[in-house]
Amino acid sequence: MDGWRGGKGFVKSAILVLLLGFLGASTALRPLRERASAASGSWGNQRLFLRRDDSDISSYWNITGTYRGRWSFVETTNGSSRFLEFGKSNGESVLELVSTPTKISGVHYVQGAITFHDVFDNEHENGVAQMRVEGVYIWPFRQLRMVANSGTDGQPLQEEDYFLSNPYHLLGVFSSQVFQESTRDKIRRKKSFTYDMEKHCNIEIAAQVSHVSSSQNVADGDHDRYHLDGLMESPAVDDDGECFSPILLNATSLNIEVYYNKAVNYTLMVTFISFLQVLLLIRQMEHSNTQSGAAKVSILMIGQQAIMDAYLCLLHLTAGILVESLFNAFATAAFFKFVVFSIFEMRYLLAIWKANRPMNNGEGWETMRRELSVLYSRFYGILLGGILVMYELHNFLRPILFILYSFWIPQITINVIRDTRKPLHPHYILGMTLTRLAIPLYIFGCPSNFMRIEVDTNWCISLGVFLGLQASILLLQHYFGSRWFIPRQILPEKYSYYRRLESDTTQTTDCVICMTAVDLTQRSNDYMVTPCDHFFHSGCLQRWMDIKMECPTCRRSLPPA
């Protein structure tokens, strides 16, 4: 009722015109009807605005909701306007309407917004154009008449309450802010479309409301759905001709519950992926549970993955706060991501830092605490700095994602430099590669994703190949050696644990690891000799070096095997 009072000047005049037209003075609507009928045979006299549906006059159709469909020019050639240039003759459109009763029986006040996709304007290559509309809905005749309305400064429109509770609208806004375009571009695009056109044009929309067949309703969960067939015209105020050619609009209401279920299923997927990542991290931590094993793992690799999980945690928590009806679902996904990065990955990060940190005798707790504070300050500083960088470089989000998904490269580099042996478990490599790919492939590759982001097949293929190539190199390093792909001519000289001894090897010696004799009479791979000329069984010394890279006899540091 507040919306009726706020726009009462417009509504009263519009209702009088419409009621006179329905009662007999149809000449006011005749030009609109004739233009549509001449351009399209589907717009006959029976379908346009003077036909009353007597079959179900007693039932009231609440048209409040979100409608998605197509827009197209009535004429074959699109007439671009003085204020907006359409690069295409058709595209996607989204209508969001709120209907409230008035004091006049059968007349409802309607407010909302229409969003046109696939539009080219003068300042931007392509994008979205949006305008607010208001009008009346004569529900006994199933007729909807609206005009453009930019609203009054400082006075919010009534449909804001609906938008703030509609997950389809809110998640669309969230995804457009995060994944597609910046706020400043959207505001500039919106103003360039509505301000000049509303100043020089009268934008009128007339639509017929029909009920979607029951068979489609059953498929969508037995919810009432409606279809709008309309015509949008723009006669100029200053008699300089039309602002743009008439546009046909057709849209069908969305089942918000189905959309809601998509979002819930997505959060379940993220929760399941987080649980799998916890299991993979536990497996990897068991694989490198010694100081020597943890020192082989790249701290940059784990830190980069922890930052990615922290960002995902913040994004899901923000989405849950924005969409109140989906808070529990998104908060659950955010909690599991918080567990992954704050407990397991940060704990593993600390273990790797301790393993690479030299032990100094007599070192106090103050020194260790100071170094720990430096480690944590660097991590959270990079985390916050990355948020600022992504905000400023918002339009380059996809290249930034490529940089984030290069997290295997630090480990590949460490393997080559240090010539480390099997630092990562193969299950961890494969599992993390697949689970990390799930979210971006859903967002940018699923045609029916709940964020309504256009599919980018080439980008998804490029990301999958890029990350798959990194994982393949790591697996080949695991089975064929860390430097398998580097030519031997450029490799530095490597110590051979199977070198020939210049001294007499007829004597026998004991392996201090297993305390059994080592047969030196046969030159084979059954024994290994260290740079300090101590002999061990090959299997014994390899298992020892997985734990400590020092000689079991004299504690001298050993080179990589």
Side-chain angles (χ1 to χ4, degrees), residues 295-306:
K296 298 177 184 178
V297 181
S298 171
I299 193 171
L300 292 178
M301 178 201 67
I302 300 299
Q304 196 167 338
Q305 294 188 60

Side-chain angles (χ1 to χ4, degrees), residues 218-282:
V218 171
D220 289 332
D222 254 347
H223 289 270
D224 289 334
R225 298 178 63 202
Y226 306 102
H227 184 78
L228 301 180
D229 281 319
L231 183 67
M232 176 176 169
E233 286 195 322
S234 59
V237 176
D238 48 11
D239 297 329
D240 289 338
E242 293 184 333
C243 291
F244 54 81
S245 299
I247 296 177
L248 290 176
L249 298 173
N250 67 85
T252 304
S253 61
L254 297 174
N255 189 347
I256 299 299
E257 186 173 345
V258 174
Y259 184 75
Y260 179 92
N261 291 336
K262 283 185 180 181
V264 172
N265 291 336
Y266 164 79
T267 58
L268 291 176
M269 179 193 73
V270 174
T271 302
F272 178 71
I273 287 173
S274 302
F275 180 73
L276 289 180
Q277 289 175 349
V278 168
L279 297 180
L280 292 170
L281 280 167
I282 293 174

Side-chain angles (χ1 to χ4, degrees), residues 135-191:
V136 291
Y137 168 47
I138 313 297
W139 64 264
F141 295 90
R142 316 302 187 214
Q143 309 301 327
L144 179 64
R145 293 297 297 267
M146 297 183 294
V147 297
N149 175 36
S150 59
T152 305
D153 294 338
Q155 183 178 358
L157 296 176
Q158 186 172 351
E159 82 272 10
E160 294 293 341
D161 293 336
Y162 170 74
F163 290 167
L164 292 176
S165 62
N166 185 354
Y168 183 87
H169 173 80
L170 292 173
L171 288 175
V173 172
F174 176 76
S175 62
S176 66
Q177 300 297 324
V178 177
F179 297 107
Q180 290 176 312
E181 57 188 352
S182 66
T183 308
R184 288 170 291 183
D185 290 341
K186 283 203 68 133
I187 293 175
R188 191 160 57 241
R189 185 172 299 136
K190 178 179 176 182
K191 287 183 177 179

Side-chain angles (χ1 to χ4, degrees), residues 58-125:
S58 61
S59 62
Y60 160 61
W61 294 354
N62 184 8
I63 62 172
T64 297
T66 301
Y67 296 77
R68 189 171 185 176
R70 307 285 300 178
W71 64 267
S72 61
F73 284 100
V74 172
E75 302 173 357
T76 55
T77 58
N78 57 5
S80 296
S81 70
R82 305 188 304 272
F83 313 105
L84 185 72
E85 293 183 1
F86 292 83
K88 297 182 180 180
S89 60
N90 60 78
E92 183 181 336
S93 61
V94 177
L95 290 81
E96 294 176 280
L97 304 176
V98 181
S99 174
T100 55
T102 66
K103 294 180 179 180
I104 303 176
S105 177
V107 179
H108 285 233
Y109 178 56
V110 177
Q111 286 182 296
I114 302 179
T115 304
F116 296 91
H117 296 267
D118 306 318
V119 174
F120 291 79
D121 60 27
N122 294 325
E123 297 181 3
H124 305 272
E125 292 184 357

Side-chain angles (χ1 to χ4, degrees), residues 204-216:
E204 301 174 356
I205 301 171
Q208 173 78 33
V209 183
S210 59
H211 199 278
V212 177
S213 62
S214 58
S215 60
Q216 298 183 30

Side-chain angles (χ1 to χ4, degrees), residues 357-363 371:
R357 181 173 171 274
M359 299 297 293
N360 297 324
N361 294 328
E363 186 179 47
E371 293 182 4

